[in-house]
């Protein structure tokens, strides 16, 4: 690789390990600063969570996972295999250590710290998607309002209060819908839905399509995208060495590890923050009435998005190893929780059943920054990797090229201690 970063002291070449939304966004913003990039992924573009997620770019709804309510829900879930949060009852020391640390961060103070830190990614989420689309990423990004649907007015009121605490730089605009207005704006809502909070100013995409379009833009700017499994990333005398399981190693000035839930395999003990796979499930179903925008069902923890003429339904947080197979009972649990709240959905005709592993940190904040000489990481966004991926990529590209950690990224330092 050759080229020049535009700054004499900056790297001229970078290998990005991981071809999901986070890795490709980092590659794009590095290219925007004049750096030559090679992207390598073990299975290809958007092969993991960047394909099967709900596709929301919804900064108003990106609450960190480590809230006290999630801890309470997790304790109840231990006895309920159909719960939206699923923790398998089996001997797994790695998961056990992660859950102990995660529980320690499910305190109001730790959660609010994560909210404040993640606000910078929320504030830049929409704008960074605009930058990508305006500069050659050929995929639609749809402006929308998200219909957050509740069985009771009390729960809807509580959610409104949460919006004011978790929102981006400014509290998002919303309106309350009941009665005929509710049925008009949410034509799939069943009679069990009594109140809807319609949150304005959000967006959604087809996540697989967008990620592939981003990859094409990265290639058009001169990058190579290679398929192969990386065994090790380490500093070398003249930069970094990215060692492949098969074939010759790749050499560059710098490397970025953006492998999602597989990130610990390449960072080892250098990263002190606990990270574990929080697997999500999705599938697609036909619908009898067109849906104008996404629906969120908080009581079921299910997100529904218009998708290729039907509805993509996504849900579940399942703490298992990332390579385990799809468990059909988790799909059935999503259907059982969502079906009473939606009419006009042909649940038995579902297809594209999918499971993917989202990287969850124990303190609710992602990992963005340097872990060794010339070696950086980007990941740990939990359920919000797609929404926060471009903003994270821009932050990391700035740090790599300038050699200075942006003030906004200090809370995400992968070597932080808690």
């Amino acid at each position: 690789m050759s080229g020049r970063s535009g700054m004499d002291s900056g790297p001229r070449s970078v290998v990005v390990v991981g071809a999901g939304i986070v890795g490709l966004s980092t590659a794009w913003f590095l290219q925007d600063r004049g750096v030559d990039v090679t992207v390598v992924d073990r299975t290809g573009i958007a092969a993991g969570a960047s394909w099967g997620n709900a596709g929301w770019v919804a900064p108003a709804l990106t609450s960190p996972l480590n809230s006290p309510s999630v801890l309470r829900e997790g304790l109840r879930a231990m006895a309920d295999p159909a719960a939206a949060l699923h923790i398998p009852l089996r001997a797994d020391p790695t998961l056990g250590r992660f859950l102990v640390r995660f529980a320690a961060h499910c305190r109001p103070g730790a959660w609010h710290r994560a909210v404040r830190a993640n606000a910078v990614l929320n504030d830049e989420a929409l704008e960074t998607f605009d930058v990508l689309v305006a500069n050659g990423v050929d995929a639609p990004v749809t402006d929308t309002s998200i219909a957050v649907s509740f069985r009771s007015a009390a729960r809807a009121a509580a959610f409104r209060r949460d919006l004011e605490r978790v929102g981006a730089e400014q509290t998002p605009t919303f309106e309350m819908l009941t009665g005929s207005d509710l049925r008009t704006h949410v034509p799939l809502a069943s009679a069990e839905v009594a109140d809807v909070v319609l949150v304005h100013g959000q967006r959604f995409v087809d996540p697989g399509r967008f990620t592939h379009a981003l990859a094409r833009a990265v290639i058009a700017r001169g990058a190579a995208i290679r398929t192969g499994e990386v065994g090790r990333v380490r500093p070398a005398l003249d930069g970094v060495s990215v060692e492949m399981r098969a074939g010759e190693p790749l050499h560059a000035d710098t490397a970025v590890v953006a492998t999602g839930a597989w990130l610990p395999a390449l960072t080892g003990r250098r990263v002190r923050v606990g990270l574990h796979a929080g697997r999500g499930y999705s599938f697609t179903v036909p619908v009898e009435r067109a849906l104008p925008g996404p629906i969120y069902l908080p009581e079921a923890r299910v997100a529904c998005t218009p998708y290729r003429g039907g509805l993509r339904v996504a849900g579940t947080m399942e703490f298992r190893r990332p390579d385990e197979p799809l468990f059909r009972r988790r799909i059935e649990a999503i259907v059982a929780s969502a079906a009473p709240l939606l009419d006009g959905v042909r649940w038995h005709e579902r297809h594209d059943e999918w499971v993917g592993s989202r990287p969850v940190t124990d303190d609710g904040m992602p990992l963005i920054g340097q872990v060794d000489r010339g070696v950086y990481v980007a990941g740990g966004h939990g359920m919000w990797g797609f929404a926060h991926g471009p903003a994270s990529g821009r932050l990391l590209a700035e740090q790599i090229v300038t050699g200075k950690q942006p003030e906004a990224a200090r809370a995400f330092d992968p070597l932080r201690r808690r």
Side-chain angles (χ1 to χ4, degrees), residues 54-104:
W56 292 8
V57 186
L61 301 178
T62 56
S63 173
L65 187 63
N66 61 312
S67 71
S69 64
V70 168
L71 178 60
R72 293 191 296 270
E73 183 180 340
L75 293 173
R76 292 193 299 268
M78 299 289 285
D80 181 6
L85 177 61
H86 180 62
I87 303 171
L89 293 173
R90 66 184 183 189
D92 186 338
T94 301
L95 175 57
R97 287 191 296 270
F98 171 81
L99 291 175
V100 167
R101 296 175 65 172
F102 179 82

Side-chain angles (χ1 to χ4, degrees), residues 4-92:
R4 191 168 290 275
S5 69
M7 294 192 63
D8 291 340
S9 60
R12 296 170 176 162
S13 59
V14 176
V15 173
V16 176
V17 185
I21 186 68
V22 176
L24 288 170
S25 295
T26 305
W28 194 95
F29 282 106
L30 284 167
Q31 290 176 310
D32 207 43
R33 289 173 173 266
V35 180
D36 283 356
V37 176
T38 296
V39 180
V40 59
D41 191 280
R42 64 179 192 147
T43 49
I45 299 163
S50 292
W51 184 86
N53 67 84
W56 292 8
V57 186
L61 301 178
T62 56
S63 173
L65 187 63
N66 61 312
S67 71
S69 64
V70 168
L71 178 60
R72 293 191 296 270
E73 183 180 340
L75 293 173
R76 292 193 299 268
M78 299 289 285
D80 181 6
L85 177 61
H86 180 62
I87 303 171
L89 293 173
R90 66 184 183 189
D92 186 338

Side-chain angles (χ1 to χ4, degrees), residues 156-181:
F159 173 76
R160 293 200 309 271
R161 292 192 294 271
D162 287 343
L163 274 182
E164 297 174 355
R165 291 186 294 171
V166 182
E169 197 169 66
Q170 298 180 356
T171 300
T173 59
F174 58 86
E175 61 180 301
M176 299 298 300
L177 300 179
T178 58
S180 60
D181 287 340

Side-chain angles (χ1 to χ4, degrees), residues 251-266:
H251 296 281
D253 295 332
T254 300
V256 174
V257 180
T259 52
W262 289 266
L263 191 147
L266 294 180

Side-chain angles (χ1 to χ4, degrees), residues 272-273 361 363-368 410-418:
R272 303 183 181 105
V273 179
T361 58
D363 64 2
M365 294 178 285
L367 310 171
I368 305 171
R410 289 188 179 178
F412 310 137
D413 190 331
L415 302 184
R416 63 187 182 264
R417 289 185 181 274
R418 298 296 182 197

